[in-house]
Amino acid sequence: MTTPAFGVAMRNFTRFPELPDAGALIDYGVRMEELGFESLWVWDHILLGTDPHFPIIDSLSLLTAVAARTTTIKIGTGVLVLPLRNPVILAKQLSSLDLISKGRLMLGAAVGWYKREFDAVGIPFERRGKIMDRNLDILRRLWTEDSVTGEWDELNLRNAVMFPKPIQKPHPPILIGGYVDVVLKRAATKGDGWLTYFYTPQGFNEAWAKISAYAEEAGRDPASLYSLNQLPIYVGDRATGMAKMTEWLHAEWDLSKGSLSTFDSAIVGTPQECAEQIAAHIACGVKKIVFVPYRYEAEQVDALARDVLPLLRG
């Protein structure tokens, strides 16, 4: 059983009237590197909610600032709503971010679910899957080819030359988020792996079995793909923690209808109890676990890094 890489999420969205603090978030990113986390992940939306609404700082702007203040921690989007973004502009932004970070970028991307957000930026919600595939194709080609010519919908690239390329070759890892079969197949055949959130070990196993089958069918080795699960965690007395975690998750988080995401995935208990619960995920073969600390409290993050993760690293 190989110990996975441990990452941590950052709170770039809040529930109004609380507003995210840009300076504090950048300092948080620096602190996560000091604590030894392998990677740092942000959430992504343009608009989110009406009543209540959830103020959010742009994912790529924030990662750029963190990249400039850190040297080793990997930075990722968990997940970028890819169809909302112009793929040519995005290819330039992401290659620049990979350069600024000296090759630390990981791109988590998904089709999105919030129709109001799509309507606001003029992207047809019903076509988001096809637009996702199109955007992935354009990103890859601009990152790997010296000159790109082609027409995709309203996008007309004529000898489009985009340099400098990302540092990572052939490009930053692309992890596909989502849960329906067509998305799992996309992760297996068009991505470098899959990421999800709030999956139990059983749920993860079920989805990963499908991804593995799709990959093998396409002539790819499932072992070459990334796998990532984002999990909420509370370190402390289990009875107290369960009550706190339940209240927080229901107040600030949504579960995708039809997915295997569940609040039952929350890791709660003493350091030893948390380590045992995390070990069940490691046993599934997940390669990256990204923790969402209870309310992102500093003492929770410190307890995770100081008391829990050493038990898992042996």
Side-chain angles (χ1 to χ4, degrees), residues 158-186:
R158 297 189 300 276
N159 297 319
V161 178
M162 183 174 286
F163 281 85
K165 304 293 188 192
I167 284 182
Q168 298 180 80
K169 303 302 178 195
H171 52 70
I174 301 172
L175 280 63
I176 306 297
Y179 57 90
V180 298
D181 285 359
V182 67
V183 171
L184 300 182
K185 187 172 185 178
R186 182 182 289 126

Side-chain angles (χ1 to χ4, degrees), residues 59-203:
S59 57
L60 301 184
S61 301
L62 184 55
L63 287 183
T64 302
V66 171
R69 289 273 309 276
T70 54
T71 56
T72 59
I73 195 166
K74 292 181 179 174
I75 51 175
T77 53
V79 294
L80 192 77
V81 186
L82 197 65
L84 290 178
R85 310 267 180 160
N86 177 292
V88 180
I89 295 173
L90 183 63
K92 174 57 69 178
Q93 288 177 301
L94 292 175
S95 60
S96 300
L97 181 48
D98 199 52
L99 288 158
I100 290 167
S101 67
K102 296 183 172 61
R104 289 183 279 142
L105 175 65
M106 299 192 75
L107 173 63
V111 298
W113 55 269
Y114 188 45
K115 186 174 185 298
R116 188 189 301 269
E117 188 175 37
F118 280 74
D119 294 345
V121 298
I123 301 295
F125 183 75
E126 297 74 16
R127 294 193 62 244
R128 67 194 188 282
K130 287 183 170 58
I131 294 170
M132 172 91 174
D133 289 334
R134 176 200 77 181
N135 288 2
L136 285 171
D137 187 29
I138 293 172
L139 286 176
R140 274 206 191 81
R141 291 192 60 184
L142 287 171
W143 284 341
T144 60
E145 298 178 18
D146 289 348
S147 178
V148 178
T149 296
E151 289 192 38
W152 295 262
D153 303 323
E154 74 282 7
L155 306 173
N156 184 5
L157 278 67
R158 297 189 300 276
N159 297 319
V161 178
M162 183 174 286
F163 281 85
K165 304 293 188 192
I167 284 182
Q168 298 180 80
K169 303 302 178 195
H171 52 70
I174 301 172
L175 280 63
I176 306 297
Y179 57 90
V180 298
D181 285 359
V182 67
V183 171
L184 300 182
K185 187 172 185 178
R186 182 182 289 126
T189 59
K190 297 182 179 180
D192 299 306
W194 177 61
L195 81 169
T196 189
Y197 81 115
F198 295 11
Y199 266 47
T200 63
Q202 296 76 16

Side-chain angles (χ1 to χ4, degrees), residues 11-20 48-56 247-254 295-296:
R11 195 186 187 203
N12 62 311
F13 79 89
T14 55
R15 181 184 172 114
F16 192 80
E18 188 176 0
L19 298 175
L48 185 58
T50 54
D51 185 20
H53 65 90
F54 296 87
I56 186 164
E247 185 277 328
W248 180 53
L249 291 176
H250 282 90
E252 292 194 17
W253 300 89
D254 254 339
R295 294 194 180 277
Y296 302 87

